[in-house]
Amino acid sequence: MNTKEASPLRGRHFLTIAEYSAEEILKILEKAEELKAEKSGHKPLEGKILGMIFEKNSTRTRVSFEAGMLQLGGHAIFMNTQDSQLGRGESIADTAQVLSQYVDGIMIRTFSHDRIEELAANSGVPVINGLTDLAHPCQALADILTLKEHKKTLEGLKVAYVGDGNNVANSLMAICAKLGIDFAIAGPKKFWPTEEVLKTCKEFASTTGSKILVTENPVEAVRDADVVYSDVWTSMGQEDENAVRLMEFEGYQVNEELVSHAKPDYLFLHCLPAHRGEEVTSGVIDGPNSVVFQQAGNRMHAQKALLVELLKD
């Protein structure tokens, strides 16, 4: 890509995977590979500022975005609800209009997806979803970047997700369906992705030939998988459900017996943080098939590419 030309994605919001075509997703991933390999110290976002709003705690999202902006020559400003007027009742719409005059882009990590949609509707600069209860699209970009690095091709792959049909599962299923990757998810039926999410992903899959399987049987999901993926059973904001969820998800642990049904060269992925001994055993997450720390590192590279595509003049 000619770096003197603005990206055709410039100025876009990045709220869900659904809003981007397969070609646009692959373009971001190609840019991520380019930036990860680059040693020149090129600063394509020199002078640019990213405002970061955190209504949920974070390790990977905060550090990867902040470090990424610095490496690109820009700057990131951290804001949480305790230290900003959002914590005193200022509306998300007013916040968007004010911040748009100070920064070149806004990343938010929040609860209800309605909040990020309201922020984007009132923002004059690109808004990036750092996580909502519905979607975690930046994680999905890092996941596929990791697959590309290890599997070299996405063609013919099967991804099996075992656990809660949460924001991570929603975005992972969507990106797999968009890119023609088979996707299986196993968990108790009451924790499956919503019918609306499943309907949307199946529509994507119908155009790419991707197969989507939703089952209560983890062995069925993992059988012949190239990738086995897990996440915590209790996400932030669900702490009062923890005891119940531990019982509900009994039998869905990713352990040595379960992964024996995957392909011998399967990859284990986890968005982290992990609860060893709950959703995954130490033997799996710390084993030779696990690439969870490279996956975590790829959050920064995928997001750097996204930032360049959305913010570069």
Side-chain angles (χ1 to χ4, degrees):
M1 184 179 70
N2 185 348
T3 57
K4 294 183 179 179
E5 297 178 359
S7 166
L9 302 181
R10 186 179 186 277
R12 292 266 298 273
H13 299 309
F14 186 70
L15 307 186
T16 68
I17 292 295
E19 296 157 347
Y20 277 63
S21 68
E23 291 73 23
E24 290 168 337
I25 293 166
L26 290 171
K27 178 181 178 61
I28 294 167
L29 294 173
E30 181 182 348
K31 172 60 71 173
E33 292 173 317
E34 176 187 322
L35 290 171
K36 187 173 181 178
E38 190 174 79
K39 306 296 182 184
S40 66
H42 178 53
K43 307 290 186 185
L45 294 186
E46 189 168 3
K48 298 290 185 181
I49 300 171
L50 178 70
M52 306 190 303
I53 302 172
F54 284 85
E55 297 184 319
K56 278 189 172 184
N57 293 334
S58 168
T59 298
R60 278 151 291 277
T61 299
R62 177 179 177 177
V63 179
S64 59
F65 267 107
E66 192 162 343
M69 279 299 291
L70 289 171
Q71 290 182 16
L72 294 168
H75 185 71
I77 299 174
F78 171 81
M79 297 165 280
N80 60 28
T81 51
Q82 290 73 38
D83 299 332
S84 69
Q85 295 298 338
L86 281 169
R88 299 181 64 246
E90 183 168 35
S91 73
I92 199 79
D94 287 356
T95 299
Q97 293 185 69
V98 171
L99 289 182
S100 297
Q101 299 178 75
Y102 304 150
V103 301
D104 300 285
I106 301 170
M107 186 282 298
I108 184 169
R109 182 176 171 92
T110 187
F111 291 89
S112 169
H113 196 77
D114 291 342
R115 284 182 70 74
I116 197 171
E117 290 183 336
E118 184 179 1
L119 184 74
N122 290 277
S123 174
V125 298
V127 172
I128 296 171
N129 184 352
L131 178 143
T132 65
D133 288 344
L134 175 68
H136 199 354
C138 290
Q139 180 65 57
L141 290 178
D143 297 341
I144 301 302
L145 178 59
T146 306
L147 298 196
K148 281 172 62 64
E149 289 177 337
H150 283 271
K151 296 297 185 181
K152 307 308 179 187
T153 178
L154 301 179
E155 187 175 351
L157 293 184
K158 175 185 175 180
V159 172
Y161 179 99
V162 181
D164 187 20
N166 58 15
N167 46 13
V168 171
N170 291 343
S171 294
L172 183 64
M173 178 164 53
I175 202 167
C176 285
K178 286 261 185 178
L179 299 179
I181 300 168
D182 291 344
F183 182 85
I185 179 169
K189 191 170 185 177
K190 66 184 288 185
F191 296 105
W192 286 356
T194 67
E195 285 299 322
E196 182 179 359
V197 168
L198 288 171
K199 180 176 181 291
T200 299
C201 289
K202 287 177 179 178
E203 288 174 356
F204 299 152
S206 69
T207 66
T208 63
S210 170
K211 299 183 183 68
I212 293 179
L213 171 68
V214 186
T215 178
E216 291 186 287
N217 187 336
V219 172
E220 182 183 15
V222 169
R223 186 175 293 119
D224 296 324
D226 299 279
V227 179
V228 180
Y229 200 121
S230 183
D231 188 11
V232 294
W233 293 334
T234 305
S235 298
M236 279 182 288
Q238 300 171 337
E239 288 79 6
D240 59 340
E241 304 173 19
N242 187 56
V244 172
R245 282 173 171 266
L246 287 176
M247 290 188 291
E248 295 274 7
F249 283 98
E250 186 176 356
Y252 290 94
Q253 184 185 74
V254 176
N255 52 37
E256 288 81 348
E257 193 283 326
L258 181 60
V259 297
S260 71
H261 299 280
K263 291 180 179 176
D265 64 345
Y266 82 96
L267 299 177
F268 177 72
L269 298 182
H270 193 299
C271 58
L272 301 179
H275 294 166
R276 287 167 171 79
E278 289 185 11
E279 76 275 3
V280 61
T281 61
S282 295
V284 171
I285 194 171
D286 298 321
N289 295 74
S290 177
V291 292
V292 298
F293 296 112
Q294 180 178 338
Q295 175 192 7
N298 277 338
R299 283 289 303 276
M300 184 179 71
H301 301 296
Q303 289 159 191
K304 283 172 66 175
L306 180 66
L307 289 164
V308 169
E309 294 296 335
L310 300 187
L311 303 186
K312 188 178 185 303
D313 292 329

